[in-house]
Amino acid sequence: MPSEWQIRFDGGRQQRYLPDRESVLRYVLSIGSRTPEPRFEVFAESEPVRLADGSSGGRRFALSEVLDLREPGVRERLQAELTGERS
């Protein structure tokens, strides 16, 4: 499980770091209708960057999914995931 998540939105001009997937979904659903562009890129923390000498070069995030709230059914799917329903 990733230890931290990052979302980018508003055409990449804004980003947020969140502790877990549930927080990501809650955040996306809460601000999705208020942002000019309701497309969110969700990144999960992955293996850290390793330098040539083997030391850590910092954190790395890998694209996990893109949530576009303009697409039919996306809000409902996210809400169902939050409430634990199966689709």
Side-chain angles (χ1 to χ4, degrees), residues 18-66:
L18 299 163
D20 52 42
R21 179 151 174 87
E22 182 179 341
S23 298
V24 168
L25 298 180
R26 289 188 189 286
Y27 190 83
V28 167
L29 288 171
S30 70
I31 70 158
S33 60
R34 297 188 309 250
T35 185
E37 185 179 326
R39 181 181 185 275
F40 297 83
E41 296 173 338
V42 180
F43 295 82
E45 190 168 2
S46 60
E47 294 296 317
V49 174
R50 291 286 171 212
L51 300 178
D53 66 1
S55 64
S56 177
R59 298 187 310 172
R60 180 187 338 213
F61 289 83
L63 182 63
S64 174
E65 69 182 309
V66 175

Side-chain angles (χ1 to χ4, degrees), residues 7-16 27-41 67-70 75:
I7 58 172
R8 295 181 195 164
F9 59 101
D10 196 15
R13 290 181 289 277
Q14 296 197 48
Q15 64 182 7
R16 301 288 184 276
Y27 190 83
V28 167
L29 288 171
S30 70
I31 70 158
S33 60
R34 297 188 309 250
T35 185
E37 185 179 326
R39 181 181 185 275
F40 297 83
E41 296 173 338
L67 302 172
D68 191 338
L69 299 181
R70 295 171 291 204
R75 285 179 193 272

